[in-house]
Amino acid sequence: NRYVINQGIYVLGSKSSSLTIKTSKIATLTSGDKFKCKLKSAQYPTYSPDVVKEMSLTLLSLDVQSINKEVESGTDAVISCNVNGITQQLTAVVWRKSGTDVTTLSGNNYIVSAGTYGSNSQTTTLTVKAAANTADSTYTCAITSTEWLQS
């Protein structure tokens, strides 16, 4: 199935449902495609008219670029992650070394800068201090935006 529908729960006179479109389907869509949400009362199906809300799809295209950089062991290293195609400041940036979150270690051997949003782009950096830069390592950045959720 290319869609997941969450019917939600009824609370104090309202109900919120969601439609999740899986990656395999998103690849076939274009901006401007139409989706329709149709509602009808389950409690009074005979007396309630169908309510139809049509929504246009806006696709967000993110371009995340990490810049490979080699530095000498025992020296400070600055690693950048450029995020393009966003429409607002990122909510969170997490840097990981071999899967371990080093963002929380910021201030000791790691300094994280979330960067500043501007012109649909934001560059986040991780500075690895010389004391922590003792061997070849792989670092990754993970970004979160409340507008577009997890990336």
Side-chain angles (χ1 to χ4, degrees), residues 76-96:
D76 288 359
V78 179
I79 306 163
S80 299
C81 181
N82 300 324
V83 184
N84 300 302
I86 55 177
T87 58
Q88 68 180 31
Q89 175 95 17
L90 297 172
T91 307
V93 176
V94 174
W95 281 92
R96 293 185 180 100

Side-chain angles (χ1 to χ4, degrees), residues 5-151:
I5 298 174
N6 178 346
Q7 295 294 342
I9 58 172
Y10 182 79
V11 177
L12 300 173
S14 70
K15 183 177 179 181
S16 177
S17 300
S18 66
L19 169 68
T20 301
I21 305 169
K22 294 194 176 178
T23 305
S24 60
K25 180 63 180 170
I26 287 178
T28 67
L29 299 174
T30 60
S31 283
D33 284 354
K34 305 284 185 199
F35 284 85
K36 291 184 180 180
C37 178
K38 185 176 179 179
L39 320 174
K40 189 169 192 121
S41 172
Q43 188 172 0
Y44 305 106
T46 308
Y47 302 105
S48 67
D50 289 345
V51 176
V52 178
K53 172 71 176 170
E54 187 174 283
M55 294 161 272
S56 292
L57 176 67
T58 301
L59 289 177
L60 174 67
S61 176
L62 290 180
D63 177 24
V64 178
Q65 302 171 345
S66 59
I67 298 153
N68 290 332
K69 188 173 186 180
E70 289 189 28
V71 296
E72 207 172 302
S73 179
T75 63
D76 288 359
V78 179
I79 306 163
S80 299
C81 181
N82 300 324
V83 184
N84 300 302
I86 55 177
T87 58
Q88 68 180 31
Q89 175 95 17
L90 297 172
T91 307
V93 176
V94 174
W95 281 92
R96 293 185 180 100
K97 175 183 176 183
S98 303
T100 301
D101 182 353
V102 296
T103 307
T104 57
L105 303 175
S106 192
N108 296 323
N109 287 320
Y110 303 95
I111 300 170
V112 175
S113 169
T116 303
Y117 170 78
S119 301
N120 297 85
S121 147
Q122 186 171 336
T123 300
T124 175
T125 59
L126 171 68
T127 301
V128 181
K129 295 301 221 171
N133 185 17
T134 59
D136 288 347
S137 300
T138 300
Y139 293 88
T140 56
C141 73
I143 60 169
T144 304
S145 170
T146 54
E147 183 176 13
W148 304 109
L149 302 178
Q150 178 74 28
S151 298

